[in-house]
Amino acid sequence: MSFDNLDTLYRQVIMDHYKNPRNRGTLADDAMTIDMNNPTCGDRIQIHLQVDDGIVEDAKFEGEGCSISLSSASMMTQAIKGKKVDDALKMSKIFSDMMLGKEVEEDDIDLGDIEALQGVSKFPARIKCATLAWKAMEKGVGEEQ
Amino acid sequence: MDVKAIREQFPILNQEINGHPLVYLDSSATSQKPVSVIKAVEDYYKQDNSNVHRGVHTLGTRATDKYEGAREKVKKFINASSTKEVIFTRGTTTSINTVAYSYARANLKEGDEIVVTPMEHHSNIIPWQQAAKATGATLKYLPLRPDGTIEMEDVKDTITDRTKVVAVMHVSNVLGTINPIKEITAVAHQHGAVMMVDGAQSVPHMQVDVQDLDCDFYAFSGHKMCGPTGIGVLYGKRELLENMEPVEFGGEMIDFVNLYDSTWKELPWKFEGGTPIIAGAIGLGAAIDFLTDIGMENIHEHEDQLIAYAMDRMKALDELEIYGPEQRAALITFNLTDVHPHDTATVLDAEGIAVRAGHHCAQPLMKWLEVTATARASFYLYNTPEDVDRLVEGLNKTKEYFGDVF
């Protein structure tokens, strides 16, 4: 079986996040909730954010979707938790550059597991799946600011 | 039917995708085009291109003859009683919207009902939602049976004297259900309602006779029947069309234009505002010639055999759910257990197999099926049993690939 090409998309760490999602669930009522749809496939994702004094204190997600959209949501919540809102937005920008296949400069930000999603850029039809959770987060903190 | 010879007419099929020969199983979304259609469009642009119905010059006459010749072909193909009943549109969606705007808004009022089904494509739901909002009419749904079919008993219970429009698809793009259009039309007519049929998935695959069905409006698209994109048809009974106002004003559809008032051309041109889709109509005409030469009966029979084989092979797979009834058109909508259809489609694509994944423009039906998305393999005249084998092989690999993960 020649699934080498597929393996660049479905990296092990992605499948781990898909199988064992981090931060799945809801937050207290006073947290903000952002709904985001992927209209091409009907996938829905809900991001819950607790932002205090410019810091993302907590982040969770719910929803239905494919391995790429759910693992991306899992990684996103993990990555931004405890970060400054500005840094979360900076990561989002780096992520979207990564999806466009651009060289990303990591500087002082540790991308951690997120780097595993780099392969998605080679599957144009799946980029929207990967960016869904990040777009929801951007929308949420954008409203906050 | 010589499928090998037919396949040779479709150059696009002869290519490798991700290192594998292409298996195209997405014809319900759009069909591929034979060389004769591509050539007809090319010839028109190379030799006859001109605007229709107004040029005195020779090219104008040639373009007009070809454009109106295509209308004649459509008329024969669906057995309309006159070319006045054949309106060229941009596609099925535009055709249905034309009726929802022109007919429904003029004829519906508060207390009236529009009856649709939960299996409809968005294009046969939203125009009616909007018409209901604009007129105060109520949108009512025919119930579906658990296997995704419509029972005449339910039709008789749902359609009442308050019903003014019944809008139903002939063949479901998700379930493959073939709806009893003739029978539903009869019930609609008993109550004085008009019958609108979405024929996007039927006209490409079976012989459709609008006079026999007795429906009032019938819509379909060229691109799903080997024709170009951007061309479709609205068939309507002449008497109804005569009494309807155009939706688009200007260009081709005018008769006399005064400063404060204007009159329209006669049918069918009064509904064809702007410069018409000339090349598209000519391409559709060529597609009808192509399909007619092969024979719609032969195409239907080929697809029947293919879907029977595909159902047998797919049903034998573990951890695969198939949606829709046993008796069906040539498509299978399915899900692999614990694999999102997007992921299924990506793995199949890596094997050179093109299937669709998503909600198939039928979100209310997805809700009814209690899924967010599904995968769909749809077949056409150029597909073979080997394509089915490749699909099954691909699905086994998908299971294997994702099985390793869990």
Side-chain angles (χ1 to χ4, degrees):
Chain A
M1 229 200 294
S2 64
F3 280 144
D4 294 355
N5 195 28
L6 278 180
D7 289 339
T8 65
L9 177 65
Y10 297 115
R11 299 266 300 273
Q12 217 167 358
V13 55
I14 294 176
M15 300 318 282
D16 179 51
H17 274 269
Y18 180 44
K19 197 177 152 192
N20 310 301
R22 323 311 192 247
N23 304 313
R24 197 168 186 140
T26 55
L27 289 175
D29 287 348
D30 62 337
M32 72 173 97
T33 296
I34 312 103
D35 285 298
M36 200 66 112
N37 295 339
N38 184 349
T40 54
C41 62
D43 283 355
R44 254 176 293 249
I45 216 157
Q46 215 170 41
I47 302 288
H48 305 282
L49 297 173
Q50 183 72 51
V51 179
D52 296 314
D53 300 329
I55 306 277
V56 182
E57 295 291 351
D58 207 352
K60 286 198 184 294
F61 80 99
E62 293 175 285
E64 289 165 279
C66 61
S67 57
I68 302 301
S69 67
L70 294 185
S71 62
S72 181
S74 170
M75 292 175 188
M76 187 278 289
T77 51
Q78 197 180 39
I80 65 164
K81 223 194 240 189
K83 296 265 171 21
K84 285 187 206 147
V85 164
D86 287 347
D87 285 341
L89 289 172
K90 206 169 159 187
M91 289 178 105
S92 191
K93 173 77 174 71
I94 292 172
F95 187 75
S96 105
D97 283 349
M98 199 166 98
M99 289 301 106
L100 294 170
K102 289 187 197 164
E103 281 291 317
V104 294
E105 285 176 43
E106 283 187 47
D107 290 346
D108 46 341
I109 290 183
D110 176 22
L111 288 175
D113 291 351
I114 297 168
E115 258 179 299
L117 283 165
Q118 201 139 25
V120 177
S121 68
K122 295 197 177 66
F123 292 78
R126 306 300 298 277
I127 292 172
K128 274 185 187 165
C129 311
T131 53
L132 192 65
W134 288 95
K135 288 214 171 107
M137 184 275 286
E138 273 187 21
K139 195 179 164 206
V141 298
E143 277 166 12
E144 179 80 353
Q145 280 182 327
Chain B
M1 207 172 105
D2 184 353
V3 182
K4 194 166 172 282
I6 287 172
R7 287 180 68 86
E8 280 164 13
Q9 302 299 307
F10 292 83
I12 200 169
L13 296 176
N14 185 26
Q15 65 174 305
E16 290 204 340
I17 299 286
N18 297 319
H20 302 273
L22 165 67
V23 173
Y24 186 75
L25 299 179
D26 197 18
S27 295
S28 288
T30 198
S31 72
Q32 298 303 348
K33 325 299 174 199
V35 277
S36 62
V37 168
I38 299 166
K39 189 168 181 300
V41 174
E42 190 186 344
D43 286 352
Y44 163 70
Y45 278 127
K46 279 186 171 164
Q47 293 156 22
D48 311 312
N49 179 51
S50 187
N51 215 325
V52 291
H53 295 140
R54 48 194 109 170
V56 173
H57 54 75
T58 305
L59 288 186
T61 307
R62 273 199 234 151
T64 305
D65 287 350
K66 279 193 162 183
Y67 180 67
E68 292 305 327
R71 198 188 308 274
E72 185 67 37
K73 287 174 189 177
V74 173
K75 182 209 127 189
K76 277 195 195 126
F77 193 61
I78 60 168
N79 193 30
S81 58
S82 155
T83 50
K84 288 182 185 303
E85 300 183 323
V86 176
I87 297 157
F88 284 126
T89 68
R90 206 162 62 79
T92 307
T93 302
T94 309
S95 298
I96 297 171
N97 272 282
T98 300
V99 179
Y101 266 93
S102 177
Y103 182 84
R105 278 168 177 68
N107 290 286
L108 264 60
K109 57 181 189 313
E110 217 176 312
D112 290 343
E113 293 166 354
I114 303 166
V115 170
V116 297
T117 83
M119 76 169 87
E120 299 309 309
H121 187 283
H122 295 159
S123 294
N124 203 24
I125 293 181
I126 309 168
W128 305 113
Q129 289 176 346
Q130 295 301 102
K133 282 178 195 161
T135 60
T138 309
L139 194 59
K140 235 169 117 178
Y141 282 86
L142 267 172
L144 299 185
R145 292 295 165 117
D147 66 346
T149 57
I150 295 171
E151 276 297 324
M152 285 312 293
E153 211 178 296
D154 297 328
V155 173
K156 286 171 191 153
D157 287 345
T158 309
I159 298 174
T160 71
D161 286 344
R162 287 187 299 277
T163 307
K164 294 292 181 293
V165 175
V166 178
V168 180
M169 66 196 335
H170 200 160
V171 170
S172 163
N173 64 320
V174 175
L175 303 166
T177 314
I178 304 157
N179 288 318
I181 293 301
K182 194 174 175 178
E183 290 75 10
I184 300 172
T185 302
V187 177
H189 287 168
Q190 277 165 20
H191 293 279
V194 297
M195 181 75 182
M196 164 93 237
V197 183
D198 169 358
Q201 300 294 341
S202 46
V203 175
H205 304 279
M206 58 173 80
Q207 201 128 44
V208 169
D209 180 333
V210 290
Q211 291 192 70
D212 178 57
L213 293 172
D214 199 28
C215 57
D216 300 285
F217 301 105
Y218 200 101
F220 59 98
S221 298
H223 72 96
K224 293 190 201 287
M225 52 188 288
C226 300
T229 52
I231 184 76
V233 171
L234 171 62
Y235 158 82
K237 280 185 182 163
R238 186 171 170 177
E239 199 188 315
L240 288 164
L241 292 173
E242 295 279 13
N243 290 308
M244 282 159 59
E245 281 289 303
V247 174
E248 281 194 324
F249 300 91
E252 195 54 46
M253 52 76 67
I254 59 101
D255 179 23
F256 284 105
V257 178
N258 303 304
L259 279 179
Y260 298 103
D261 202 13
S262 301
T263 55
W264 328 133
K265 264 192 189 150
E266 57 181 332
L267 285 175
W269 304 291
K270 90 171 177 185
F271 286 102
E272 295 178 358
T275 289
I277 313 147
I278 307 165
I282 291 166
L284 175 59
I288 288 173
D289 287 342
F290 174 79
L291 294 173
T292 310
D293 281 350
I294 295 166
M296 290 310 290
E297 286 300 321
N298 295 329
I299 293 170
H300 192 60
E301 198 186 305
H302 167 74
E303 290 183 11
D304 263 357
Q305 286 170 4
L306 204 55
I307 192 66
Y309 178 64
M311 284 292 273
D312 274 355
R313 291 228 49 197
M314 299 270 283
K315 278 195 286 189
L317 291 174
D318 295 330
E319 298 169 338
L320 182 119
E321 183 166 10
I322 294 173
Y323 305 98
E326 189 61 27
Q327 196 65 36
R328 61 170 62 213
L331 62 93
I332 300 184
T333 296
F334 62 92
N335 266 328
L336 284 171
T337 312
D338 290 333
V339 185
H340 190 280
H342 259 179
D343 295 319
T344 305
T346 293
V347 179
L348 291 175
D349 184 58
E351 294 288 302
I353 304 159
V355 300
R356 194 143 197 96
H359 52 59
H360 315 291
C361 300
Q363 289 183 26
L365 181 60
M366 292 296 116
K367 203 165 270 181
W368 184 83
L369 290 169
E370 295 175 349
V371 295
T372 52
T374 59
R376 179 187 68 193
S378 54
F379 305 91
Y380 205 12
L381 73 165
Y382 37 67
N383 290 116
T384 62
E386 290 72 34
D387 291 344
V388 175
D389 295 340
R390 287 272 309 278
L391 171 66
V392 170
E393 203 181 310
L395 289 169
N396 278 324
K397 284 185 179 176
T398 311
K399 287 200 295 184
E400 201 178 311
Y401 189 78
F402 280 91
D404 288 347
V405 174
F406 289 99

